[in-house]
Structure formats: C-alpha cells, structure tokens
Amino acid sequence: MASPAKPSWAVEPAAHVEAMLVLGEPPGNLHFRLDLPGKAAYKLGRMAETADIHIQNAAASRLHAIIGHHKNGGLCIVDQNSANGTFIDGERIAGNAVVPIKDGMSMRFGDGEEYKTVIVDKRVDAKEDFLSGLSGYDATEEETPKASKVSKGAEQSDPERDRRRSRSRDRDRDRERDRERDRERDRDYGRD
C-alpha cells in the first residue's frame, strides 16, 4: 500500500506555534511533537515503519489518521477511512473530513488510549485572543488599573487570575522540562 503524500492543505508549522499530542498522565506521559520545522503533516497508525506517530493498539489501522498544519494557521486531523474510527472529544469524525484541532481536545484512535492535544500560540496578541475566549474575562478590566480602596502598592486578589497565572507557569515549566528532555535525547542519539 503506497503511503499518501502530504495533504494539499498542509503547510510547514508557523514559528509561533507549539503543538503536541500527549498520551497518559504525568509523570511518565508520552509527548509527540507536532511542530517540527519543515514537517507539515504527521502520519498516525499502528505500522511503526511508516507512521510518524506509532499507535500501539490493534484496533488502529496501519495508517489511521493524518494531522497537519493547515494553511489557515490551525492544526487539523483527517481520518484515513480507518476501520474503527477516530474520535475527537468522544465523537467519531467522518473519514477524509478535515477537522480542526484545538488545545485540550481528547483523541482516540479506534478503542485505544486517550491522547490530549496541547497547542500554544506564542505571539503576544495570542494571549489576549485566548483570554477573551474565557468566560467572564473582560479585557478592559484586566488591562486598565482599577480604582479601589486598596492602599498604593498592594494588589487586589483575584482567584481566577491567580489560577490562570499558576496554570501558565506550570505549562511553561512543563514545556521547558520537555524541551530539555528533547535536547538530551537529541544529544544522546547524536553520539555513536
């Protein structure tokens, strides 16, 4: 069976995008990078010889799905008419349909384990775009100093803002740990 060429809509990933599929829960989870320079699309399947991401599940097809960077700037997945289907957030997607992927989505290939998507846009204005999608977020409130009874120099406590900052710090720390692990692995593979 000939391996399909990269989809016509797939382009090299933008430099401001970090993306990966994560299998399992920390510690010991597996990360599959989806943002390698020069790599527009990734083949997923149980046939390790031809898959960029090997799905170790008998219910997965040899070439189960393709994930690629769409020319519109987002990530998309296409099920390759697999026998047991590709599921996004519990819903089976149609074969050969180009389906957008968003951060935090869950994916299953056949009846296999659940993967999570992690997609980060590193542009400065992307933070504003992301935050504006959060329930109850008001950009004018966040960016404009508030008149308050708090003495000068003291900051009002905002539990939701604190949780967002904490999650952001955790993600940054995890990404840095993953990058360091990738650098160490690359150094190890570079040696004979």
Side-chain angles (χ1 to χ4, degrees):
M1 173 168 112
S3 180
K6 113 183 151 162
S8 60
W9 48 262
V11 297
E12 185 171 334
H16 63 268
V17 174
E18 288 182 2
M20 66 180 75
L21 274 180
V22 179
L23 175 63
E25 295 295 325
N29 54 357
L30 296 174
H31 295 77
F32 301 97
R33 300 290 303 262
L34 299 173
D35 57 5
L36 299 175
K39 188 87 170 148
Y42 298 81
K43 294 180 256 175
L44 293 83
R46 76 165 191 268
M47 195 168 179
E49 298 81 25
T50 58
D52 297 307
I53 298 175
H54 180 212
I55 302 171
Q56 297 180 353
N57 175 6
S61 296
R62 289 178 293 222
L63 176 60
H64 198 96
I66 294 178
I67 292 178
H69 292 269
H70 199 279
K71 58 188 169 190
N72 73 5
L75 272 171
C76 293
I77 186 167
V78 179
D79 181 89
Q80 297 294 291
N81 290 315
S82 63
N84 295 310
T86 298
F87 298 82
I88 305 285
D89 291 336
E91 299 291 323
R92 187 173 181 154
I93 63 173
N96 285 325
V98 179
V99 179
I101 300 172
K102 294 184 174 71
D103 182 49
M105 287 182 150
S106 67
M107 292 184 185
R108 273 189 313 104
F109 305 98
D111 63 358
E113 296 181 89
E114 185 174 278
Y115 292 75
K116 288 282 189 187
T117 58
V118 177
I119 304 170
V120 178
D121 190 330
K122 299 183 290 186
R123 294 176 297 185
V124 173
D125 59 345
K127 176 184 175 195
E128 183 62 35
D129 293 343
F130 169 75
L131 291 175
S132 65
L134 293 175
S135 171
Y137 176 76
D138 181 0
T140 57
E141 273 186 29
E142 191 73 19
E143 303 300 323
T144 307
K146 298 179 183 176
S148 70
K149 296 178 183 175
V150 178
S151 63
K152 188 174 183 178
E155 184 178 320
Q156 283 185 315
S157 177
D158 178 356
E160 183 60 29
R161 182 189 63 222
D162 294 343
R163 279 193 293 277
R164 285 194 310 261
R165 286 180 179 167
S166 177
R167 284 192 304 261
S168 178
R169 281 192 301 269
D170 290 346
R171 280 193 304 266
D172 290 345
R173 184 183 62 241
D174 290 345
R175 275 190 224 100
E176 184 55 39
R177 184 190 66 226
D178 293 340
R179 281 193 285 269
E180 182 58 34
R181 192 178 329 154
D182 289 345
R183 284 191 292 269
E184 288 175 14
R185 187 182 63 228
D186 292 345
R187 282 192 300 265
D188 290 344
Y189 286 129
R191 296 180 190 152
D192 288 320

